[in-house]
């Protein structure tokens, strides 16, 4: 159950946001928690703080008045703890265990952590690379990066980018086979893929309108998206790759995109942590850093 300070903090954030969903994303909680906190506060005060319906949410006049008072109170309490919470580089130290897809972990994540450690040399990192979902309990994970759906609603997750998917082939293969002009034509060509360890089958290819295709015969398959990328670069077949793997090769010309009109809706890329509270300083610092770093499109590019 939320205490009064927590409810006021949520209320102040909701008063500054456009809606409860945006407030929830800023606080790293669910929209349902925001709604419940506002309702409880309205019940305790006996005042309606927001006019809301299925289309919009607008703060009331009484809500505006309370927000001005509440901000001063919350900021005053925060000042009491600011000196303690303003951890120095010497205080933020210790080991942080992370998990990420192989391609992100070996490049973007490692570079990001290297820059962070320049500010906090007392931090140490242990990285578990896995393209499928990691068992955060068995691996004792503190922070993870994942593209696609995060099924565990208990996690604190922040979407930081969108991952596009590209159907690609090497120029040499295209000169031999030709550029397919339809999905049916593509399905007649050699393809490479990655094994889904949960099913023991190749990962399906995703297309617009949520259509899927599972290749029956592959020229090359492995349990690594990096190996899949190496195979398509070598001309072994066509592949569908996420943007964080495909984009550098598309930009260099080593790979060529085919059938872009069939590309699926981008997937969310999220930074998450299994632990809600209390959160050690070292984990909060790393989590906040990664959220900011991966939200920077110059650091994690997307195709225009």
């Amino acid at each position: 159950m939320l205490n009064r300070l927590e409810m006021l903090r949520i209320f102040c954030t909701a008063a500054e946001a456009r809606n409860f969903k945006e407030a929830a994303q800023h606080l790293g909680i669910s929209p349902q928690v925001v709604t419940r906190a506002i309702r409880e506060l309205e019940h305790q005060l006996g005042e309606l703080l927001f006019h809301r319906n299925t289309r919009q949410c607008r703060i009331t006049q009484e809500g505006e008045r309370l927000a001005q008072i509440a901000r001063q109170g919350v900021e005053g309490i925060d000042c009491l703890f600011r000196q303690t919470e303003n951890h120095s580089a010497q205080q933020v130290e210790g080991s942080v265990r992370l998990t990420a897809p192989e391609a992100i972990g070996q490049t973007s994540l490692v570079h990001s952590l290297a820059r962070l450690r320049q500010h906090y040399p007392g931090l140490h990192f242990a990285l578990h690379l896995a393209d499928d979902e990691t068992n955060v309990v068995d691996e004792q994970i503190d922070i993870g990066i994942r593209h696609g759906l995060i099924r565990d609603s208990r996690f604190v997750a922040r979407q930081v980018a969108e991952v596009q998917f590209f159907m690609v082939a090497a120029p040499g293969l295209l000169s031999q086979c030709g550029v397919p002009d339809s999905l049916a034509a593509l399905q007649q060509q050699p393809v490479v893929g990655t094994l889904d360890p949960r099913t023991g089958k190749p990962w399906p290819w995703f297309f617009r309108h949520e259509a899927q295709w599972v290749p029956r015969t592959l020229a090359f398959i492995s349990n690594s998206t990096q190996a899949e990328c190496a195979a398509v670069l070598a001309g072994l077949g066509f592949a569908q790759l996420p943007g964080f793997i495909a984009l550098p090769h598309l930009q260099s010309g080593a790979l060529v995109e085919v059938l872009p009109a069939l590309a699926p809706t981008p997937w969310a890329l999220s930074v998450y942590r299994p632990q809600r509270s209390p959160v050690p300083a070292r984990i909060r610092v790393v989590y906040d850093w990664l959220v900011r770093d991966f939200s920077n499109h110059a650091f994690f590019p997307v195709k225009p």
Side-chain angles (χ1 to χ4, degrees):
M1 182 176 179
L2 298 172
N3 60 41
R4 290 180 176 178
L5 177 59
E6 291 171 327
M7 287 190 292
L8 286 175
R9 194 183 301 280
I10 292 172
F11 166 69
C12 290
T13 303
E16 296 173 358
R18 292 175 296 181
N19 50 56
F20 288 180
K21 182 178 180 180
E22 181 179 307
Q25 291 175 339
H26 180 78
L27 292 168
I29 59 178
S30 70
Q32 291 77 13
V33 173
V34 175
T35 300
R36 187 163 64 248
I38 299 301
R39 285 177 179 170
E40 179 61 26
L41 199 57
E42 289 176 332
H43 176 73
Q44 292 191 19
L45 297 174
E47 293 283 353
L48 185 67
L49 302 177
F50 291 90
H51 294 298
R52 48 195 183 271
N53 53 37
T54 56
R55 294 186 176 181
Q56 62 179 353
C57 175
R58 181 167 53 85
I59 194 168
T60 64
Q61 185 175 359
E62 179 60 26
E64 289 280 12
R65 186 189 70 81
L66 177 63
Q68 294 180 0
I69 300 173
R71 288 189 193 100
Q72 295 176 359
V74 170
E75 289 174 0
I77 293 174
D78 286 344
C79 284
L80 296 176
F81 297 94
R82 192 161 293 156
Q83 184 174 1
T84 301
E85 294 180 346
N86 185 22
H87 300 280
S88 67
Q90 290 74 26
Q91 292 172 308
V92 179
E93 58 186 13
S95 178
V96 179
R97 295 185 62 84
L98 304 101
T99 184
E102 184 181 5
I104 294 178
Q106 290 183 1
T107 55
S108 302
L109 179 56
V110 168
H111 295 319
S112 180
L113 295 177
R115 292 194 301 275
L116 174 60
R117 200 168 185 274
Q118 293 177 0
H119 300 282
Y120 300 100
L123 286 174
H124 306 277
F125 307 109
L127 178 58
H128 175 82
L129 297 176
D131 290 333
D132 57 322
E133 291 187 62
T134 301
N135 188 317
V136 298
V137 176
D138 290 348
E139 299 297 334
Q140 300 180 330
I141 297 300
D142 298 311
I143 298 171
I145 295 176
R146 179 165 178 79
H147 65 104
L149 179 66
I150 295 180
R151 294 179 175 84
D152 198 324
S153 60
R154 295 171 298 176
F155 293 175
V156 175
R158 288 284 299 276
Q159 180 177 336
V160 293
E162 290 187 332
V163 177
Q164 300 165 293
F165 282 83
F166 301 91
M167 288 177 283
V168 297
L173 181 63
L174 292 176
S175 66
Q176 296 174 15
C177 301
V179 179
D181 57 3
S182 67
L183 179 57
L186 173 65
Q187 291 172 339
Q188 301 305 313
Q189 303 298 331
V191 297
V192 301
T194 306
L195 193 68
D196 182 349
R198 294 173 298 177
T199 65
K201 300 178 181 179
W203 275 100
W205 290 35
F206 301 95
F207 306 106
R208 60 183 305 181
H209 306 311
E210 300 184 358
Q212 296 184 15
W213 170 53
V214 180
R216 294 183 179 180
T217 303
L218 292 95
F220 177 89
I221 188 168
S222 77
N223 64 344
S224 164
T225 52
Q226 294 287 60
E228 180 186 10
C229 181
V232 72
L233 286 167
L236 282 172
F238 291 76
Q240 186 178 58
L241 298 175
F244 51 80
I245 296 178
L247 275 171
H249 303 296
L250 288 170
Q251 292 165 351
S252 70
L255 292 179
V256 177
E257 183 180 11
V258 300
L259 300 175
L262 296 182
T265 301
W267 289 13
L269 180 77
S270 302
V271 178
Y272 69 89
R273 51 181 172 85
Q275 187 176 13
R276 285 188 173 272
S277 61
V279 181
R282 68 184 188 282
I283 295 175
R284 185 174 296 279
V285 164
V286 177
Y287 180 83
D288 291 344
W289 171 273
L290 293 178
V291 167
R292 288 192 301 269
D293 221 6
F294 277 79
S295 297
N296 179 2
H297 284 179
F299 171 59
F300 193 80
V302 297
K303 187 177 181 181

